[in-house]
Amino acid sequence: MSAALACGAVVFPGLFYTFRKILKSTFTHWTDADVVSVSERLVSAIHASLATAAGVTVVTSCKDVMTDSHWLVNQFVLFGAPYMAHDIYAMYLSHFYTRRVKGHASAHHSLQTLMAFLSKDWTLVLHHLALLLVFMPITLFFRRGLGDFFVGCLFNAEFSTPFISIGKILIQLGLDNTRLHRINGIVVLLSFFMCRILVFPYMYWMYGRQFGIPLHRVPFHLPLQCNVGNLVILAPQIYWFILLLKKANRLYLRQKRG
């Protein structure tokens, strides 16, 4: 277990450092904010791709949704834990350099800058901390070896993240009015809806299918904490999906006027 944790602690900060060096020397006109933002997105896309690959492997390997197990579950949770911690730091750096570019008087490392970052990105920070402090301990210590299939499904929720990162990078490259950006935006909406929202009724359906329970009756056959936990995870996904829809609508109206 410690090997997977150590590997993640080396890989993700190492990738972030490498991307910053490459981008800074390649795009010499970019600001530090541009370099850090794109580097963060690239690392995020790599982590999400690995999580999706692990999720697909686990889901397709588990025939019994409750008792079948796969070694990748615990190993990837440990491997990905340093990414969650590092990504909070990378998001803070992006916020810090963006404030500096915009000429904020408080654009230096301080409690005020940190509080401004937490105020702006509190949902993402809370999401990362919840994965580290709640999801990881539950997965590693409190499941009693049950439910690897469902953890694999949650890994697959990351499928939309690379496309979100690609969208941000295309904007950074000045390609936000291209067909590629519009197509990527459609893929973002579809993949986010399928893998972050529909995945929950899918998990309930798979549980009901195995035990011969109709979908609408499944919640009543599960412990209360399971339903509450799923709602806690689902709620921010719905919130972020609404934000994505609003952003897509704004872009559509802007391009229509143009």
Side-chain angles (χ1 to χ4, degrees), residues 107-122:
H108 56 274
H109 295 295
S110 64
L111 182 59
Q112 182 181 359
T113 304
L114 177 61
M115 295 306 296
F117 160 66
L118 293 176
S119 176
K120 176 177 176 291
D121 292 321
W122 69 271

Side-chain angles (χ1 to χ4, degrees), residues 18-55:
T18 302
F19 284 135
R20 286 183 68 182
K21 288 293 184 183
I22 293 173
L23 292 173
K24 195 172 183 63
S25 61
T26 303
F27 299 95
T28 54
H29 61 287
W30 279 10
T31 64
D32 287 333
D34 299 331
V35 170
V36 170
S37 177
V38 174
S39 299
E40 178 207 342
R41 289 295 172 181
L42 288 171
V43 176
S44 178
I46 291 173
H47 168 265
S49 299
L50 293 174
T52 302

Side-chain angles (χ1 to χ4, degrees), residues 95-107:
H95 171 81
F96 167 73
Y97 283 117
T98 298
R99 286 175 66 87
R100 175 177 285 182
V101 168
K102 291 180 178 179
H104 285 267
S106 60

